[in-house]
Amino acid sequence: MTRARVISVDAMGGDKGPAPVLGGLNRALRESPDLRFILHGDEAELARFLRKRSFAALRARIELRHTADVVRMADKPSRALREHRGSSMWNAIETVKKGEAAAVVSSGNTGALMAMSVLLLRKAPGIDRPAIAVHWPSSAPHGYNTVLDMGADIRADARNLVQYAVMGAEYARINFGLERPRVGILNVGTEATKGRHDLREALDILLAVSAEDDAGFECVGFVEGTQMFAKGVDVFVTDGFTGNVALKTAEATAAFIRAGLREAFQHTVLSRLAALVAMTSLKRFARRIDPRRVNGGVFLGLNGAVIKSHGSADAVGFEAAVGLAARMAATDFATGVEQRLARINSMTAEERAQHAARHSTERGADE
Amino acid sequence: MTRARVISVDAMGGDKGPAPVLGGLNRALRESPDLRFILHGDEAELARFLRKRSFAALRARIELRHTADVVRMADKPSRALREHRGSSMWNAIETVKKGEAAAVVSSGNTGALMAMSVLLLRKAPGIDRPAIAVHWPSSAPHGYNTVLDMGADIRADARNLVQYAVMGAEYARINFGLERPRVGILNVGTEATKGRHDLREALDILLAVSAEDDAGFECVGFVEGTQMFAKGVDVFVTDGFTGNVALKTAEATAAFIRAGLREAFQHTVLSRLAALVAMTSLKRFARRIDPRRVNGGVFLGLNGAVIKSHGSADAVGFEAAVGLAARMAATDFATGVEQRLARINSMTAEERAQHAARHSTERGADE
């Protein structure tokens, strides 16, 4: 049994208790029968769930580790750190730290999960700040773009943004098999003169690196919110404040449209009929933007893969998160990132200045 | 003829030339027959359009002022300022400056319109930075929330955010007849401990002011992207960078869903049939979130009302922008804002400290 096929699971963190967690593991196992799980939580409660006949195969692949303590959704990260060492979340992360598993999945409190992960796993070499990456539905052939940071930190300077870009590109390569992911920095316009100084500085560095053959990604420059669902840009880089607002705004837009369509369809007898007939079409589309399938933010930049599943995820959602954990566990994400960042840090001031000069010429005289 | 019923119009700025402009004015005149327009642009071209029989009534309410110069969409603001004084946009704003009209409408280049407006009209008393406000579709009874700043400036400190809040509240009162608009500051969470220092400082000031009986608005605290389409918060305050990204992300989400539904509906013969029947329902809903009706960002904080219509607006869109201009022209926006800001500036450090102390207690020990 290689460590890379063992996944550590916080069975207690989600809004809906252990049921969707076990359902999700069961589904994941059907896809990948060689996975093994170390499950942290209330042993008696978990054992009761596992008695279900459909879980027979799953039982053989699970090691239960008991703890009664649980981090609650309302717990503040600092308090969780002080008072919930030994919780199912803490123990699940610690299992990765000890080298018994290669990735951890939890649908618990995001802030607490990040705080505990940073404390236990520590930041990876070359990384100043970890970031949360999500799959963003798009018209790309593989169906998703990658966006980061979604709120690990509300600030990001040029150096942070460059690290996010390198991590996001590596992540997109692993997850979507993209050979040379196209990376853009989210801004209020695509012109290189736009935006805060930090963004322009990050752009200069990324363009300079991306000009090299072995960069492993292509920097496409500044990109706008309008492009986030399109193909053409694989990785969107932004600070955690902007990313968080963008994600929540997109979710709210989809919910508003969903509610509006439902209401519109109920307006007349004929439209109610149409809705019935249309349901299949609508469901087909809904599957594509189903947040359960998109499910799973990934914490990048730690010594170990940490997958955050949505708090209200069901078995389908949790399965997606476990699949992501298995992919991350099977690859050496950290080494690729470390090497690229080392190259960036070793670029001479002269090399950067050359690129910067070229870009400021392209920008023209107007600022 | 009171000045408040005269609106100055840049007839040349939009992507589609003068046709939608004249169509929009014609529609607006049917609603409000007492309006008069001073129209800036190519006189021969405009006269040719105005020969249409359906414009007979409109002709009598229009004063044409010739200029051949036009600001193009691609012109950078600084260049427009240097090279296009005397353009239809410039002259349209100048008409407000001279006191001949109470508001100006243009569907031209946003950056140039803002730069020229600031230069010609100057910032209103008490305002450090003007802001762009938009109507955001929502489930509020009147159908819209107000969001600002949408990109007048990419940065905003606590003082700017407070000014945006006061302007946004006054604007919501005028446009939607809300007696005491509820104002929130956009953040990554609703807890008062979240976010950047600037946001917390702005919140402290707004909560302190809002506690007074005659505040004219109610500060509801920090709000999230998920709430933007909901009722319960009337005015969302944020910096121009975040506002711009949020708006573009929402537009992109709607476009992505629209394209996805269209594709889903074409999938089978039955679903194509359903789409036909469903069309009425879908159109009914589409009208509610029609960007043409939402059309019109308003520049707040200048000595005069400046309405930016969407560059690709048609007659319906331009009519909405003119309606907005007429409402702004009929009210004394600036005086209300100035008085409230003066009150805020006169709050003693002691008064603020009292409120701040109270709120930090509410925040609890955790940070």
Side-chain angles (χ1 to χ4, degrees):
Chain A
M1 178 89 261
T2 88
R3 188 184 76 102
R5 302 313 284 163
V6 183
I7 292 168
S8 176
V9 178
D10 167 14
M12 311 304 284
D15 296 333
K16 297 177 178 171
V21 171
L22 294 173
L25 295 183
N26 203 36
R27 294 175 64 101
L29 194 63
R30 275 185 229 144
E31 283 292 310
S32 313
D34 64 329
L35 287 176
R36 271 183 55 80
F37 307 108
I38 299 176
L39 208 58
H40 301 266
D42 188 299
E43 194 167 8
E45 191 178 349
L46 292 172
R48 199 169 59 245
F49 275 105
L50 280 170
R51 255 180 248 140
K52 273 181 73 175
R53 195 186 302 167
S54 58
F55 287 161
L58 180 62
R59 275 196 297 272
R61 311 293 296 175
I62 280 184
E63 180 189 335
L64 282 184
R65 296 199 184 165
H66 176 72
T67 174
D69 187 27
V70 175
V71 175
R72 301 281 162 203
M73 284 298 180
D75 288 338
K76 294 195 174 165
S78 53
R79 172 167 296 189
L81 272 189
R82 281 195 308 271
E83 300 176 6
H84 292 290
R85 303 190 175 201
S87 62
S88 59
M89 182 184 281
W90 176 276
N91 291 356
I93 303 166
E94 210 176 28
T95 299
V96 173
K97 186 191 179 183
K98 289 179 179 162
E100 298 178 276
V104 51
V105 183
S106 171
S107 44
N109 182 324
T110 307
L113 186 63
M114 179 55 90
M116 288 180 175
S117 297
V118 171
L119 187 69
L120 283 168
L121 301 177
R122 300 284 165 190
K123 286 176 277 183
I127 302 296
D128 294 317
R129 283 182 187 169
I132 302 176
V134 296
H135 293 181
W136 190 283
S138 84
S139 46
H142 48 278
Y144 297 101
N145 294 331
T146 300
V147 186
L148 75 169
D149 170 37
M150 299 312 298
D153 207 299
I154 54 170
R155 264 163 297 252
D157 62 17
R159 193 181 156 88
N160 301 136
L161 292 171
V162 167
Q163 292 173 8
Y164 295 172
V166 169
M167 291 196 290
E170 190 69 21
Y171 179 73
R173 183 170 21 251
I174 290 172
N175 268 283
F176 302 121
L178 301 173
E179 213 168 293
R180 199 175 158 84
R182 292 156 298 182
V183 176
I185 299 178
L186 193 60
N187 199 347
V188 294
T190 56
E191 305 88 341
T193 52
K194 290 256 184 179
R196 291 188 292 249
H197 173 74
D198 272 345
L199 302 190
R200 297 203 301 274
E201 194 185 332
L203 184 64
D204 279 339
I205 297 173
L206 290 179
L207 285 170
V209 178
S210 151
E212 304 191 327
D213 288 341
D214 61 348
F217 65 90
E218 181 194 347
C219 177
V220 298
F222 287 144
V223 292
E224 294 185 274
T226 41
Q227 298 171 263
M228 292 184 80
F229 293 86
K231 56 189 168 195
V233 184
D234 304 303
V235 179
F236 289 77
V237 173
T238 190
D239 64 274
F241 186 91
T242 308
N244 186 285
V245 170
L247 179 66
K248 286 176 179 168
T249 304
E251 286 175 353
T253 309
F256 183 71
I257 293 176
R258 211 157 36 232
L261 286 178
R262 198 176 301 129
E263 199 187 304
F265 270 132
Q266 280 165 358
H267 215 264
T268 66
V269 175
L270 204 62
S271 61
R272 252 176 270 162
L273 191 70
L276 271 180
V277 183
M279 212 50 90
T280 325
S281 306
L282 290 174
K283 276 194 182 144
R284 191 179 303 122
F285 175 64
R287 262 203 302 278
R288 267 193 67 196
I289 57 164
D290 186 347
R292 297 179 307 166
R293 285 170 196 275
V294 183
N295 197 26
V298 184
F299 296 177
L300 301 176
L302 298 165
N303 293 306
V306 180
I307 316 297
K308 165 68 175 77
S309 179
H310 201 284
S312 59
D314 59 9
V316 175
F318 205 83
E319 179 198 7
V322 172
L324 198 51
R327 278 198 299 286
M328 290 298 286
T331 53
D332 191 0
F333 177 82
T335 305
V337 168
E338 191 181 351
Q339 285 167 352
R340 281 183 218 290
L341 288 175
R343 168 68 194 121
I344 291 175
N345 291 333
S346 75
M347 280 183 83
T348 61
E350 208 180 316
E351 285 175 289
R352 275 196 215 168
Q354 278 175 7
H355 284 285
R358 202 168 64 225
H359 301 136
S360 61
T361 315
E362 283 163 12
R363 272 171 205 167
D366 202 290
E367 168 80 7
Chain B
M1 179 87 259
T2 87
R3 188 185 75 102
R5 303 311 285 163
V6 183
I7 292 166
S8 177
V9 178
D10 168 14
M12 311 304 283
D15 296 333
K16 297 175 176 171
V21 172
L22 294 172
L25 295 183
N26 204 36
R27 293 175 63 102
L29 195 64
R30 275 186 229 141
E31 283 292 311
S32 313
D34 64 328
L35 288 176
R36 269 182 57 79
F37 307 107
I38 300 176
L39 208 59
H40 301 266
D42 187 299
E43 193 167 9
E45 192 179 348
L46 291 171
R48 200 168 58 245
F49 275 105
L50 281 170
R51 256 180 247 137
K52 273 181 72 176
R53 195 186 303 166
S54 58
F55 288 161
L58 180 63
R59 277 197 296 274
R61 312 293 296 174
I62 280 184
E63 180 188 333
L64 283 184
R65 296 199 184 166
H66 177 72
T67 174
D69 187 27
V70 175
V71 176
R72 301 282 163 203
M73 284 298 180
D75 287 338
K76 294 195 174 166
S78 53
R79 172 166 297 189
L81 272 189
R82 282 194 309 269
E83 300 175 7
H84 292 289
R85 302 188 178 205
S87 61
S88 59
M89 183 185 280
W90 175 276
N91 291 357
I93 303 165
E94 210 175 29
T95 300
V96 173
K97 184 192 180 181
K98 288 179 181 163
E100 298 178 276
V104 51
V105 183
S106 172
S107 44
N109 182 322
T110 308
L113 186 63
M114 179 55 90
M116 288 181 174
S117 297
V118 171
L119 187 68
L120 283 167
L121 301 178
R122 300 284 165 190
K123 286 176 279 184
I127 301 297
D128 295 316
R129 284 182 184 168
I132 302 176
V134 297
H135 293 182
W136 190 283
S138 82
S139 46
H142 48 279
Y144 298 102
N145 293 332
T146 300
V147 186
L148 75 169
D149 169 38
M150 298 311 298
D153 208 299
I154 53 169
R155 265 163 296 251
D157 62 17
R159 193 180 155 88
N160 300 136
L161 292 171
V162 167
Q163 292 173 8
Y164 295 171
V166 169
M167 291 197 290
E170 190 69 21
Y171 179 73
R173 183 169 22 253
I174 291 173
N175 268 283
F176 302 120
L178 301 173
E179 214 168 292
R180 199 176 158 84
R182 291 155 298 182
V183 177
I185 299 178
L186 193 59
N187 200 347
V188 294
T190 55
E191 305 87 341
T193 50
K194 290 255 184 180
R196 291 188 293 249
H197 174 74
D198 272 345
L199 301 190
R200 297 202 301 272
E201 192 185 334
L203 184 64
D204 280 338
I205 297 173
L206 289 178
L207 285 171
V209 178
S210 153
E212 304 191 327
D213 288 341
D214 61 346
F217 66 89
E218 180 195 345
C219 177
V220 298
F222 287 143
V223 292
E224 295 186 274
T226 40
Q227 299 171 263
M228 293 183 80
F229 293 85
K231 56 190 169 193
V233 184
D234 304 303
V235 179
F236 289 77
V237 173
T238 190
D239 64 275
F241 186 91
T242 309
N244 186 285
V245 169
L247 179 66
K248 286 175 179 169
T249 304
E251 285 175 354
T253 309
F256 183 72
I257 292 176
R258 211 156 38 234
L261 286 178
R262 198 175 301 127
E263 199 188 301
F265 271 133
Q266 280 166 359
H267 214 265
T268 65
V269 176
L270 203 62
S271 61
R272 252 175 270 163
L273 191 70
L276 272 180
V277 184
M279 213 50 89
T280 326
S281 306
L282 291 174
K283 275 193 183 144
R284 191 180 304 123
F285 175 66
R287 261 203 303 279
R288 268 194 68 195
I289 56 164
D290 186 348
R292 298 178 309 165
R293 286 170 195 275
V294 183
N295 197 27
V298 185
F299 297 177
L300 301 177
L302 299 165
N303 293 305
V306 180
I307 317 296
K308 166 67 175 77
S309 179
H310 201 282
S312 59
D314 60 9
V316 175
F318 205 83
E319 179 199 8
V322 172
L324 197 51
R327 277 198 299 286
M328 290 298 286
T331 53
D332 192 0
F333 176 81
T335 305
V337 168
E338 192 182 348
Q339 286 168 351
R340 282 184 217 288
L341 288 175
R343 168 68 194 122
I344 290 174
N345 292 332
S346 76
M347 280 182 83
T348 61
E350 207 180 315
E351 285 176 290
R352 275 195 215 168
Q354 278 175 8
H355 284 286
R358 201 168 66 224
H359 300 135
S360 60
T361 315
E362 283 163 13
R363 272 170 203 167
D366 202 290
E367 169 79 5

